[in-house]
Amino acid sequence: PIGARVAAGCAVAGWASMALGVGHPYWAVVTAAAVFQANTTLTWNRALQRTIGNFLGLILFTALLPLIRTGHLAMVLLALVFQICAEAFISRNYWLGSVCVTPMALLLTEFAHHLPASRLVADRWIDTVVGAAVGLLACVLVTNRRATDRIETALHRVAAARESAVRLLAVPHDHHEAGWARDRLAASLIELREAVDVASGEWW
């Protein structure tokens, strides 16, 4: 189901962008791929963060245009700064990282050939909105019924680990066996928690 979401979302986002006449349809595909997370709730959060981050990044790029158009040296230095900031922020705060990624992507496009700033900014914004919307729609429409199946499997593993631990406590045992039983029970509980978290984020 996750693979179907990504494939359908990216394909439709690219087609929609081309149908709208946007000059960089791959931006919509990348956005659609970037918003997919473990469940619908997390995907919604990621889509919102990417949209806000890209919007602020476009404002930053527009503000820096006078400096960018001074030459390639300024473009290279700004691209390096944005790359460093993106690496520093993206794992801690996704929308803040997107603020840095957006102008960097536009700068890389500028290296190939100059385009009117209004067209470049409009293409990026349209592709961001299209990619985020289509990605979220694909996540809603392509259901992941395996999420609930994973809960049932995890529950069985917790029950089996608990029975093993109870049997071990009822008879003399060594520390090695006790440690193994404890680790097995802890791992099965963690798996159950993860399964519940994923399933609870789906709209059905």
Side-chain angles (χ1 to χ4, degrees):
I2 303 300
R5 284 178 176 178
V6 175
C10 291
V12 174
W15 290 331
S17 178
M18 288 189 290
L20 292 172
V22 180
H24 303 82
Y26 57 90
W27 281 341
V29 175
V30 170
T31 297
V35 301
F36 287 112
Q37 298 297 300
N39 56 41
T40 306
T41 300
L42 293 176
T43 299
W44 159 253
N45 290 334
R46 179 57 63 89
L48 185 62
Q49 290 181 46
R50 187 172 180 90
T51 303
I52 293 173
N54 280 12
F55 177 72
L56 296 177
L58 290 174
I59 294 175
L60 179 60
F61 175 79
T62 304
L64 292 174
L65 266 177
L67 179 60
I68 292 170
R69 294 294 166 87
T70 59
H72 285 124
L73 179 59
M75 294 169 65
V76 170
L77 292 177
L78 285 172
L80 287 174
V81 170
F82 288 134
Q83 176 67 35
I84 292 170
C85 292
E87 293 292 340
F89 295 140
I90 199 76
S91 62
R92 297 177 176 85
N93 194 317
Y94 186 79
W95 75 266
L96 189 56
S98 296
V99 174
C100 302
V101 170
T102 298
M104 183 179 64
L106 298 182
L107 278 172
L108 294 177
T109 303
E110 283 280 285
F111 279 116
H113 54 277
H114 287 292
L115 291 173
S118 58
R119 178 183 170 188
L120 200 59
V121 170
D123 282 358
R124 182 70 178 192
W125 179 241
I126 293 171
D127 280 338
T128 296
V129 173
V130 168
V134 172
L136 184 60
L137 183 64
C139 194
V140 171
L141 295 180
V142 181
T143 58
N144 182 15
R145 299 292 177 180
R146 292 183 182 178
T148 50
D149 295 339
R150 186 184 171 196
I151 293 178
E152 294 297 326
T153 301
L155 281 171
H156 288 307
R157 289 179 179 172
V158 169
R162 180 182 179 279
E163 289 177 5
S164 297
V166 169
R167 283 198 304 268
L168 191 61
L169 291 172
V171 298
H173 57 274
D174 60 34
H175 293 295
H176 178 73
E177 290 180 339
W180 176 83
R182 181 180 62 249
D183 292 344
R184 181 186 177 191
L185 184 57
S188 61
L189 286 170
I190 291 171
E191 182 182 1
L192 176 61
R193 176 61 184 269
E194 290 177 351
V196 171
D197 286 344
V198 170
S200 63
E202 297 291 4
W203 62 268
W204 60 87

